[in-house]
Amino acid sequence: MITIRRYSTLDTDDLWRIHLLVIAEANVEPTHQHYHDILHIPEQYLKQGGEFLVGMDNQGVILAMGGLKLLEGGRAEIKRLRVHPSYQKKGYGQQILTSLEGKAKELGISHLILDTLNNQFGAQSLFAKNGYQQKGPAVIDGFDVILYEKSLA
């Protein structure tokens, strides 16, 4: 199990490293937008009323992360759900996802959306197991992704 806490600006470098490892495993090159998103977590998530969580081992090493970005109309998006490749398939992604969904419910969010790369089969399995419905393929920022959604109502 991991300990989950809210993001701190001191986490930025660790989150960037995890992000790079995860997308490299998916054969994706990092973009400026990726770095911008990680660098601006406070503005994009927290100041808008959303959440960004990190999961740590018992030595305080960050192994997982994920954000809840608020949208209009009682909707939110799960973003940047990542688990360090060496620690995947241990339930850490599930822990972060469950915590983000709990926060969404606290905030009165009725509908969640998310996407994953079409070759991230572990993430696809996680989302299906948690009741997310595939809404089809799409191209976002030049990446082939699969869109998902889930009603919390």
Side-chain angles (χ1 to χ4, degrees):
M1 300 308 264
I2 54 174
T3 301
I4 297 175
R5 67 164 169 76
R6 185 174 241 197
Y7 162 87
S8 159
T9 55
L10 299 175
D11 300 330
T12 303
D13 290 343
D14 291 331
L15 299 185
W16 181 240
R17 278 191 289 278
I18 291 170
H19 175 78
L20 289 175
L21 289 168
V22 169
I23 65 170
E25 190 173 71
N27 296 315
V28 171
E29 292 293 321
T31 68
H32 175 72
Q33 186 62 45
H34 290 157
Y35 185 68
H36 181 270
D37 289 352
I38 300 277
L39 193 60
H40 293 283
I41 287 171
E43 297 85 1
Q44 292 190 16
Y45 298 88
L46 306 179
K47 288 182 183 175
Q48 304 304 319
E51 187 63 89
F52 203 96
L53 302 174
V54 298
M56 305 174 306
D57 68 9
N58 55 8
Q59 279 84 37
V61 176
I62 297 174
L63 305 176
M65 66 177 166
L68 180 72
K69 189 172 189 174
L70 299 186
L71 306 172
E72 295 178 355
R75 297 168 23 108
E77 184 175 12
I78 303 286
K79 299 278 292 177
R80 305 287 176 235
L81 184 60
R82 307 275 189 265
V83 177
H84 187 293
S86 298
Y87 297 91
Q88 292 176 0
K89 301 194 184 295
K90 296 180 181 293
Y92 301 157
Q94 179 67 63
Q95 283 184 260
I96 296 284
L97 181 60
T98 298
S99 295
L100 291 171
E101 287 183 352
K103 180 64 175 182
K105 290 175 185 175
E106 280 179 30
L107 294 172
I109 299 299
S110 61
H111 193 83
L112 289 173
I113 63 170
L114 55 83
D115 62 76
T116 188
L117 292 169
N118 64 0
N119 64 351
Q120 289 183 308
F121 303 112
Q124 293 169 30
S125 176
L126 174 67
F127 301 142
K129 181 178 95 172
N130 282 276
Y132 287 82
Q133 302 295 313
Q134 276 194 31
K135 292 301 169 185
V139 177
I140 298 177
D141 296 330
F143 299 108
D144 293 323
V145 300
I146 300 173
L147 304 175
Y148 290 86
E149 64 180 31
K150 179 179 179 177
S151 175
L152 297 179

